[in-house]
Amino acid sequence: MEQFLEQFPIVVQSLNIGFLQTLKLFFVTLLGAVPLGLIIAFGSMSRFRPLSYFTKIIVWIIRGTPLMIQLLIIFYFPGLVLKKQIWGGGEVARFTASAVAFIFNYACYFSEIYRGGIQSIPVGQEEAGLVLGMTKSQIFFKVTLLQMIKRIVPPMSNEVITLVKDTSLARIIALQEIIWAGQAFLKGSQGISGQIWPLFFTAVYYLIFSGVVTLLLGRLEKKLDYFR
Amino acid sequence: MAILEVEHLSKTFERTEVLKDINFSLEKGQVVSLIGSSGSGKTTCLRCLNFLERPDTGIIRVNGETLFDADDPVTTRESAIRKKRLHFGLVFQSFNLFPQYTALGNVMLASELLAKERPDYKENKKAIHEEIEQKAQVLLEQMGLEDRMNNYPHQLSGGQCQRVAIARALALKPDILCFDEPTSALDPELTGEVLKVIRELAEQRTTMIIVTHEMAFARDVSNHVIFMDDGRILEEGTPEEVFGHPRELRTQQFLGHYAQ
């Protein structure tokens, strides 16, 4: 017990640093994937056949393969096969490669949610806009978008909460996120070794953070309750 | 001069001919009722006028200006069509109000977006906005909705929604206001309040085309009645002629169902 109390502050400090990297990956992924998903959604809904087929194939590949494999390919492929270190080196390289993999992966999932949301809006909304002399983009931004957002909040919440935990997959390319930080105390770090509890303890971080995310998304859902 | 001239309008969906050589014209201040059974092409005709459907053949002229000529590619371009839509207003059967805007917001939205295209918009932003808001309020008052302006569509009854939709269409001052079965989604009690508003518009000499199944109303409010059947105009004339002495057997049959 005395040993635990001694180790605890050291472990927490280390986990905090790891969790900061986890949070960074989480927010960068959202920031990239939310708009990119919309672009992909428009691609797959395009009336220009080659574009919609191309987008659908990309979405199929990304959704049809494990994110872990995608991380490995994106991180190692340029250096091992093309002999070009496009990601640079060190932690920056690992983070950039992770961010690219996560953004693409999540954008593909988001795109399908967006597509469903857009297609569920009655065609009469667009027609009403057209008759009032609005342009297609005015109709999208002033009429369709908010109605779409309202409809996609529940399925998006699912994805966002999954993302909180999926960030741990970046461990596979040794991104120094919280799992990596917890695992360090197994092999030995800062005078602590052979301890598994720090790894278990990371779960508390995920649990609290996903709780916060759930609350925020619930609030957003309530905020959009003013119309039907 | 006629405010609206429609010549040789036709439209085919897949292999079904929905409109077959439609010709009619309309004078300023006139109210025309389009009647006929479901599937006779009335709604498609209105949708063509509002450029929601592209006619396969034909010409649409407003105040002598050719808005659409199926044979002239310059007039059929999407970019050219947007502004032309503003000659017409359309009130839908299912209202199609924007749910995230209040009644007032629904009436103002399109005017505000159009105002942004004005060269003096940046300098007079505030004044323009106030003018649009004031006009929208007047319109809603005219519709009897002065105490409903800040309500969202889901807080309004069907009749109130339809009156907001009418105000929204009027806000852009269309030359011709079109109604696509404006009361078909309403119960009889709410139908009355919407018909009353349309009747008031007719008294103010608003040029209107009304697709309706309310025969008594059509007879009462319109100057001209067009009976459509199987994509054609089968018979037209004054309400007295069409309702009182229908010439065609098909018209007699159709009106007979309402007499019962």
Side-chain angles (χ1 to χ4, degrees):
Chain A
M1 190 65 197
E2 207 171 304
Q3 190 201 11
F4 175 79
L5 286 177
E6 236 170 67
Q7 291 175 349
F8 191 76
I10 302 170
V11 167
V12 166
Q13 203 188 6
S14 198
L15 293 185
N16 283 348
I17 295 169
F19 192 57
L20 222 60
Q21 192 72 318
T22 295
L23 286 179
K24 217 169 107 191
L25 182 57
F26 172 81
F27 285 113
V28 167
T29 302
L30 274 191
L31 226 62
V34 164
L36 182 62
L38 200 56
I39 294 167
I40 296 174
F42 281 126
S44 66
M45 287 189 294
S46 168
R47 259 179 269 167
F48 181 59
R49 285 283 175 81
L51 179 63
S52 79
Y53 283 140
F54 175 75
T55 331
K56 279 176 182 164
I57 288 171
I58 297 282
V59 170
W60 169 59
I61 292 172
I62 301 269
R63 293 202 308 171
T65 55
L67 176 52
M68 193 187 275
I69 306 286
Q70 292 164 20
L71 272 162
L72 289 169
I73 292 175
I74 287 176
F75 184 58
Y76 290 114
F77 190 83
L80 290 180
V81 182
L82 306 175
K83 309 287 180 207
K84 267 190 193 146
Q85 300 294 339
I86 61 167
W87 306 121
E91 182 69 357
V92 177
R94 290 190 286 269
F95 184 81
T96 317
S98 305
V100 169
F102 271 87
I103 288 172
F104 265 99
N105 186 278
Y106 271 80
C108 286
Y109 282 97
F110 289 174
S111 78
E112 285 296 288
I113 296 178
Y114 294 155
R115 192 168 64 88
I118 292 170
Q119 287 173 345
S120 74
I121 293 166
V123 66
Q125 290 289 307
E126 187 186 346
E127 289 182 351
L130 286 175
V131 167
L132 293 166
M134 294 187 202
T135 62
K136 292 250 176 182
S137 81
Q138 285 173 338
I139 292 171
F140 179 74
F141 287 107
K142 298 287 178 178
V143 177
T144 314
L145 185 61
L146 195 63
Q147 296 184 50
M148 175 197 97
I149 291 173
K150 185 184 166 76
R151 279 162 211 234
I152 66 171
V153 169
M156 283 295 274
S157 303
N158 249 337
E159 289 299 320
V160 172
I161 288 163
T162 306
L163 173 61
V164 173
K165 297 161 294 168
D166 268 4
T167 51
S168 61
L169 287 169
R171 168 69 192 90
I172 198 72
I173 58 168
L175 182 76
Q176 296 171 11
E177 44 70 74
I178 188 167
I179 298 281
W180 180 90
Q183 226 180 353
F185 296 106
L186 261 177
K187 288 184 251 161
S189 165
Q190 299 171 70
I192 304 169
S193 68
Q195 294 292 344
I196 189 110
W197 72 263
L199 193 52
F200 294 169
F201 191 67
T202 60
V204 176
Y205 283 76
Y206 288 109
L207 197 59
I208 292 173
F209 186 54
S210 62
V212 172
V213 169
T214 307
L215 277 176
L216 288 177
L217 288 167
R219 252 204 219 161
L220 177 63
E221 208 175 329
K222 269 234 173 82
K223 253 212 166 136
L224 290 172
D225 231 14
Y226 72 91
F227 72 89
R228 250 165 244 165
Chain B
M1 187 179 61
I3 192 166
L4 171 68
E5 292 161 281
V6 174
E7 289 170 17
H8 307 301
L9 210 64
S10 74
K11 175 74 188 171
T12 303
F13 288 120
E14 307 285 311
R15 282 194 199 134
T16 323
E17 272 189 278
V18 187
L19 293 179
K20 301 167 186 166
D21 195 29
I22 299 290
N23 296 277
F24 69 94
S25 68
L26 184 57
E27 300 295 322
K28 196 169 162 52
Q30 251 193 347
V31 179
V32 172
S33 288
L34 269 179
I35 60 168
S37 55
S38 301
S40 59
K42 312 178 300 282
T43 293
T44 307
C45 184
L46 272 199
R47 289 173 61 86
C48 283
L49 291 180
N50 284 276
F51 305 105
L52 290 177
E53 305 292 350
R54 180 165 301 203
D56 299 326
T57 69
I59 296 172
I60 298 169
R61 233 177 261 129
V62 170
N63 287 322
E65 181 198 348
T66 303
L67 296 188
F68 181 91
D69 181 345
D71 293 330
D72 181 358
V74 178
T75 66
T76 61
R77 265 190 230 133
E78 190 60 39
S79 57
I81 278 172
R82 183 171 76 91
K83 282 282 159 91
K84 293 172 184 173
R85 285 200 171 99
L86 296 174
H87 288 284
F88 296 90
L90 178 59
V91 175
F92 298 87
Q93 179 179 346
S94 49
F95 331 135
N96 296 349
L97 291 182
F98 306 132
Q100 72 267 46
Y101 294 100
T102 61
L104 191 63
N106 266 278
V107 179
M108 289 170 63
L109 180 64
S111 305
E112 291 202 302
L113 293 174
L114 280 171
K116 283 187 185 163
E117 293 170 26
R118 279 165 56 165
D120 63 334
Y121 179 71
K122 279 208 172 131
E123 298 110 73
N124 305 326
K125 219 170 174 175
K126 226 177 165 188
I128 290 173
H129 176 84
E130 271 165 26
E131 191 192 325
I132 290 171
E133 182 166 350
Q134 213 233 325
K135 277 185 185 157
Q137 283 168 343
V138 170
L139 277 170
L140 285 168
E141 277 163 24
Q142 202 185 325
M143 297 293 132
L145 294 167
E146 52 279 347
D147 53 347
R148 287 276 176 238
M149 292 193 199
N150 295 316
N151 285 102
Y152 289 93
H154 77 271
Q155 299 165 322
L156 302 173
S157 73
Q160 289 167 336
C161 280
Q162 194 58 297
R163 285 182 281 152
V164 174
I166 294 171
R168 181 174 72 172
L170 285 170
L172 296 177
K173 297 202 167 53
D175 295 313
I176 299 146
L177 185 56
C178 304
F179 291 86
D180 184 13
E181 301 191 26
T183 61
S184 293
L186 303 175
D187 66 44
E189 216 171 337
L190 299 176
T191 296
E193 63 185 56
V194 171
L195 295 184
K196 181 170 158 269
V197 164
I198 300 175
R199 191 170 282 137
E200 282 165 11
L201 290 175
E203 280 159 13
Q204 293 159 21
R205 310 270 295 151
T206 311
T207 314
M208 294 188 278
I209 304 175
I210 306 172
V211 169
T212 184
H213 290 291
E214 297 282 336
M215 292 306 145
F217 173 73
R219 183 172 192 162
D220 186 41
V221 83
S222 42
N223 316 98
H224 194 79
V225 177
I226 294 176
F227 176 71
M228 282 184 71
D229 185 55
D230 192 26
R232 284 194 182 81
I233 293 180
L234 198 63
E235 184 164 355
E236 61 179 312
T238 63
E240 181 49 29
E241 284 165 355
V242 176
F243 289 109
H245 314 282
R247 281 172 283 124
E248 301 286 335
L249 181 65
R250 183 72 192 88
T251 320
Q252 290 163 13
Q253 278 175 345
F254 175 77
L255 293 172
H257 292 298
Y258 285 90
Q260 285 161 10

